Every structure is written in C-alpha cells, then in structure tokens.
Amino acid sequence: MKLRFMEWDLGGKIIFIATCLALASFFFNWLDIGIDAENGFLQGGVFFIVCYIYPFVKVVREKRMNKIIAYSFALLAVLFTIMYVSSRTIEFLGETIRGAAAGPYLFMVACGLLTFGIFMRKY
C-alpha cells in the first residue's frame, strides 16, 4: 500500500499529522508526581488511539468519511483525555496537585487537530 500524502486534501493531511502527533504523545510523560514519572504506554493512554483509527484508515485508504462518526470519535478522545487528566488531580495537605504531565496535553492538541482535519476533509 502506497501513501500518496501529496495527493490528499488538506483535511487528510491534517488528520495524518494529528495521528502521528497523538502517537508521539505516548512517548512523553503522562504522569509526573516528582518521585515517579510514566509515559503514555505505561499509563494506558495508548488505548486512546482507538478513537483515531476510523479517520486515519479512511484517509489512508482514500475512502469517503462519515463526518458524524469521525466527530464522535474525536469527541470521545477529548472526553477520555479530560477524564484522565482530572483523575490525576488530587488534594494533598490542602493543595491541589496535578499529576498529569505534558503527554495528555499534547494528545489534546492532537485531538483539536483531528477535529479540524475532519472539518477540512472534502470527502
């Protein structure tokens, strides 16, 4: 299977880049509490990539995408990431400690790019 990146529309290119950025976010720390730091693979964030499969496969195979389904998956990815970040926030000695590191926030940026790519997709 050949990837014809230069022949894709702008939306397809953005979806491809967003998926690559989401995959890269798993190598960043997703949990950092000072004494312990874990990346997205160890924290289970890698399962969030399931939400990217439908748009990515439609772009790579150059098939028509149902935008309602694609938007639903993008929204699920955002909701899962928000749930992850909020679950890593705790109260300790009267102070709020955020345990989420850079990884989930980079994944959120990738979710925004995915949504924009779906919007820009022509077919």
Side-chain angles (χ1 to χ4, degrees), residues 60-119:
V60 171
R61 291 189 178 171
E62 299 177 4
K63 300 285 184 181
R64 186 167 185 79
M65 180 187 309
N66 184 339
K67 288 193 176 189
I68 295 173
I69 295 172
Y71 280 130
S72 300
F73 280 123
L75 179 65
L76 275 176
V78 170
L79 291 175
F80 288 154
T81 310
I82 289 172
M83 287 173 37
Y84 174 84
V85 169
S86 65
S87 72
R88 298 304 185 253
T89 304
I90 60 168
E91 289 286 330
F92 184 71
L93 297 175
E95 291 187 29
T96 302
I97 298 175
R98 296 194 181 267
Y105 296 109
L106 182 60
F107 190 82
M108 284 282 257
V109 169
C111 290
L113 277 175
L114 176 68
T115 304
F116 183 67
I118 294 167
F119 176 73

